[in-house]
Amino acid sequence: MERGEYYPLFETKMGRGRVVYRLFAISLFVAICLIWLHRFNHIITITTNHTQQEEEDDRGIWVWLGLLAAELWFGFYWILTQAFRWNPVFRHPFKNRLSQRYEHMLPEVDIFVCTADPEIEPPMMVINTVLSVMAYDYPTEKLSVYLSDDGGSEITFYALLEASNFAKSWIPFCKRFKIEPRSPAAYFNTIIDSADTTNLGHELVAIKKLYNEMERRIEDATKLKRVPKEARLKHGGFSQWDSYTSKRDHDTILQRPQYHHNFKAGAMNSLLRVSSIISNGKVILNVDCDMYSNNSETIRDVLCFFMDEKKGHQIGFVQSPQIFENVTKNDIYGNALLAISEVEFHGADSWGGPMYIGTGCFHKRESLCGMKFSGEYKHKWKSENDLFIEGNLQELEEKAKGLANCSYEENTQWGKEMGLKYGCPVEDVITGLSMQINGWKSVYYNPPRKPFLGIAPTSLLEVLIQHKRWSEGDFQILLSKYSPAWHAFGKIPLGLQMGYCSYCLWAANCLATLYYSIIPSFYLIKGISLFPKISSCWFIPFAYVIIGETVYSLLEFLLCGGTFKGWWNEQRIWLYKRTSSYLYALSDTILKLFGFSDSAFTITAKVSQEEVSKRHEKEIMEFGTSSPLFTILATLALFNLFCFLNVLKDAILRDGGFGAYEKLGLQVILCGFLVLINLPLYQGLFLRKDSGKLPSSVALKSSTLALALFLSYIFV
């Protein structure tokens, strides 16, 4: 390399097929406009040609106005989603250049691991994550790992002590043999059927034995719900639990109950303050306790973005995808979110960066602590004033306790202008948006070997509750003072603003989707057409939008590594989320605005029963319990089944057969689609005998409601 010549630490490549996609998107937009024009023209025709049947005409006008509103919404929302598909970019780091230039001055990295409940998030899972991040291919003296346990569990503390002892053998083993992944449980699972372990010899047997012994001790303590007496006597840290009464009421191991807790955001802010007086790493990685490191080179890759001499100064955080290791081949619950991780976040990267999703994210400490970026800012990675702790360890511990206590935040900017923001179920998204408003950019890093792997929900109810929390939090952001619709206007690029709004409006999608799931089937019973007949020229834009968007969605899914059946499952979950999770998210948010409801933090279970796991592996949908969410889904599914069966009956018995339904073609197709996609629900209601079926109470309630809706239009 010649002196003075600039060689970047990463490159940015444009996505392929952009021109083709843009032409397709423009043609689809023209078809959408023609659909809107058709609706406007028909409403005008109805109002100017009033017949004597005024009451029926008035009802028809309102139905068509509803369809127009739904189609305007679908079109508007589709426009928002195009921002993240218009110009996707892909990042590639050069860590060999990083090593050549900065190996002698690599920055300190602080790693935050957050857990909340040892019953939902087992200690063995937590320490596997901790061990995986301790074993990064990075100078050990420059890594500091912090574990925040919101539940203040002494079992988790005991597991961490055991892990620290095991790490003395595990980390050298990882680095000597360069193994991947470096979560012990994940690694041992990968070598069960592998023959490529001959070079490890007796060392593999020895390290596996140490792990099994540690696992047995931790599992025994977890089952007995108490720490072994010898461990208590050996380590003075257990004295902290002498005044412990409950997860929400314990000594200042972490928090006190008389102050608002703020959940994960509060825990992260406490770690920010505590780490600042211990290690004060310039780069911070935060991971959820179920997201273990799957790539030991990740830190070096990420530093290529931060430490690039020209482009790195403005990068405030680097986000990696949230990938799950327990997703089945056809992803029955759509947990992989392939469109988001493989398409949309790459598109967001071209507009200034993806959102912060709360895990698998690297931050510059300054950006996370509220500093605003300015053109004069240049990050100094080499500093003679790096923190060095000496003196009384007890004094340091007492000072750290004070910083961790919730009372420390009173009358400060923590949770407002500093650290993670409070007052929203998705504190991560609002925090990332605030950083971007402050002038920072983010980068999306999605390498072939994924940086982190986690655990996805294995039942439909867990999935729906998770998406209810996400969509409710995002919608609250839209209505908050941090709204991307107005607060971010002019402060972030328009494309990024549109993308944020598309996520914040997830909940609002429920209204148009519910309308389209009910009204066309209602009028199908009466034989009243709400769409152009197949022989009409107005049928063409409807057909083009339906076929074009379906084919594109399928091709996108397949190119992202999915399967046809996986795509079909994704469409089903898309429908279920919009008609249940998003509906509750929207109603809860509106009620909260009027003081009638308040959001509660929900932790998604990370463990499942053996029978549930087996059904998940066989890709059998898990219901297993009663829920209002299931009642809504089952009622809609049965109502459309009744409507479709009525159409089949009339087509068989009437003169003209199916030809009589030529003017109702699109309604028949829509109703048939809603029946076909709900087959797992019908099976869960009436055909399955296992414990994962829908309870009889749900079957009775939904059948009654669906039949009442159906008969109300038969006899009116």
Side-chain angles (χ1 to χ4, degrees), residues 151-164:
S153 167
E154 64 176 351
I155 303 298
T156 304
F157 182 68
Y158 170 66
L160 190 62
L161 286 177
E162 288 283 353
S164 66

Side-chain angles (χ1 to χ4, degrees), residues 60-329:
I61 291 173
W62 285 110
V63 169
W64 275 72
L65 284 172
L67 285 170
L68 173 61
E71 288 158 359
L72 283 170
W73 175 261
F74 287 141
F76 166 72
Y77 190 78
W78 176 85
I79 292 170
L80 291 181
T81 64
Q82 298 314 294
F84 282 1
R85 285 175 168 79
W86 202 249
N87 187 34
V89 298
F90 299 83
R91 312 285 188 174
H92 301 276
F94 303 122
K95 55 179 173 283
N96 58 325
R97 296 179 184 175
L98 177 79
S99 298
Q100 290 168 8
R101 286 184 231 173
Y102 297 115
E103 188 66 33
H104 63 290
M105 52 177 289
L106 292 173
E108 292 80 6
V109 177
D110 290 345
I111 302 176
F112 298 167
V113 181
C114 295
T115 185
D117 190 330
E119 294 181 7
I120 297 177
E121 300 164 333
M124 274 307 300
M125 179 185 70
V126 175
I127 66 160
N128 268 283
T129 297
V130 170
L131 287 165
S132 72
V133 296
M134 290 175 69
Y136 272 123
D137 183 16
Y138 200 74
T140 306
E141 69 277 6
K142 294 188 176 184
L143 271 183
S144 300
V145 181
Y146 297 81
L147 174 65
S148 168
D149 179 11
D150 245 6
S153 167
E154 64 176 351
I155 303 298
T156 304
F157 182 68
Y158 170 66
L160 190 62
L161 286 177
E162 288 283 353
S164 66
N165 290 325
F166 176 69
K168 297 172 185 176
S169 301
W170 176 248
I171 294 175
F173 175 81
C174 292
K175 294 188 176 181
R176 178 181 175 187
F177 295 105
K178 301 186 183 300
I179 67 166
E180 296 284 2
R182 297 190 176 181
S183 158
Y187 172 69
F188 293 135
N189 285 337
T190 62
I191 65 171
I192 291 176
D193 300 319
S194 174
D196 188 26
T197 59
T198 53
N199 62 321
L200 304 184
H202 297 294
E203 295 193 49
L204 175 61
V205 176
I207 199 73
K208 183 71 162 67
K209 181 181 178 182
L210 287 174
Y211 177 77
N212 288 338
E213 291 172 351
M214 176 187 69
E215 183 179 34
R216 177 182 53 78
R217 291 192 294 270
I218 294 173
E219 294 291 356
D220 288 347
T222 303
K223 289 176 184 177
L224 296 172
K225 296 186 178 180
R226 68 171 184 267
V227 175
K229 187 176 181 180
E230 57 272 19
R232 279 185 168 276
L233 295 173
K234 189 180 296 186
H235 199 286
F238 288 105
S239 63
Q240 299 286 331
W241 277 267
D242 291 343
S243 60
Y244 183 91
T245 57
S246 72
K247 288 187 289 186
R248 292 286 183 92
D249 184 12
H250 48 72
D251 201 357
T252 51
I253 307 163
L254 187 65
Q255 315 278 352
R256 294 294 290 179
Q258 61 262 38
Y259 300 101
H260 190 61
H261 191 264
N262 293 312
F263 303 110
K264 181 180 175 182
M268 282 281 292
N269 286 343
S270 293
L271 289 177
L272 272 171
R273 296 191 296 270
V274 170
S275 64
S276 69
I277 66 164
I278 299 176
S279 51
N280 201 33
K282 296 182 178 181
V283 174
I284 293 171
L285 161 65
N286 85 279
V287 291
D288 287 343
C289 64
D290 64 322
M291 297 290 292
Y292 69 83
S293 168
N294 186 55
N295 187 341
S296 63
E297 298 287 331
T298 298
I299 292 181
R300 292 178 179 272
D301 287 340
V302 167
L303 288 178
C304 291
F305 303 115
F306 284 138
M307 301 182 75
D308 184 84
E309 293 85 349
K310 288 189 177 181
K311 300 178 182 177
H313 299 291
Q314 196 173 0
I315 296 174
F317 64 94
V318 177
Q319 180 66 62
S320 59
Q322 190 171 13
I323 306 296
F324 304 106
E325 65 174 346
N326 63 331
V327 170
T328 57
K329 178 183 177 182

Side-chain angles (χ1 to χ4, degrees), residues 517-710:
S517 299
I518 298 171
I519 297 302
S521 296
F522 263 142
Y523 280 81
L524 183 61
I525 302 170
K526 290 265 187 177
I528 298 174
S529 175
L530 300 179
F531 299 93
K533 59 183 180 180
I534 297 174
S535 59
S536 169
C537 63
W538 286 110
F539 176 80
I540 297 174
F542 282 90
Y544 183 75
V545 169
I546 294 170
I547 296 172
E549 187 62 18
T550 301
V551 171
Y552 168 74
S553 171
L554 175 58
L555 288 175
E556 180 182 83
F557 195 85
L558 295 176
L559 290 172
C560 290
T563 64
F564 176 81
K565 191 173 180 181
W567 170 79
W568 182 248
N569 290 333
E570 176 89 2
Q571 306 311 301
R572 180 186 299 114
I573 295 299
W574 173 87
L575 178 67
Y576 288 179
K577 288 185 296 188
R578 286 191 171 201
T579 53
S580 62
S581 301
Y582 295 174
L583 176 63
Y584 268 83
L586 181 69
S587 58
D588 277 4
T589 302
I590 293 173
L591 288 172
K592 185 180 179 182
L593 287 175
F594 292 98
F596 295 113
S597 176
D598 196 9
S599 298
F601 183 79
T602 305
I603 305 169
T604 307
K606 306 300 190 302
V607 290
S608 56
Q609 300 174 358
E610 186 176 352
E611 288 186 8
V612 175
S613 296
K614 288 181 178 178
R615 284 192 287 269
H616 181 247
E617 291 171 2
K618 294 178 181 178
E619 299 188 333
I620 299 173
M621 188 163 282
E622 183 70 26
F623 302 101
T625 187
S626 178
S627 168
L629 297 171
F630 290 161
T631 302
I632 293 172
L633 296 179
T635 300
L636 290 173
L638 289 172
F639 171 71
N640 279 282
L641 178 63
F642 295 156
C643 294
F644 193 72
L645 292 176
N646 184 70
V647 169
L648 291 179
K649 180 204 71 169
D650 289 348
I652 293 171
L653 298 179
R654 284 182 181 177
D655 294 336
F658 288 98
Y661 284 91
E662 190 260 351
K663 67 175 183 177
L664 300 169
L666 281 178
Q667 282 164 264
V668 173
I669 292 171
L670 177 59
C671 187
F673 163 78
L674 292 171
V675 170
L676 186 61
I677 208 164
N678 278 305
L679 287 179
L681 259 175
Y682 303 137
Q683 293 170 349
L685 284 167
F686 306 117
L687 302 179
R688 286 170 54 181
K689 304 298 181 183
D690 57 78
S691 60
K693 68 181 182 67
L694 278 162
S696 55
S697 60
V698 174
L700 180 61
K701 284 187 287 188
S702 58
S703 298
T704 303
L705 290 171
L707 194 60
L709 282 171
F710 176 75

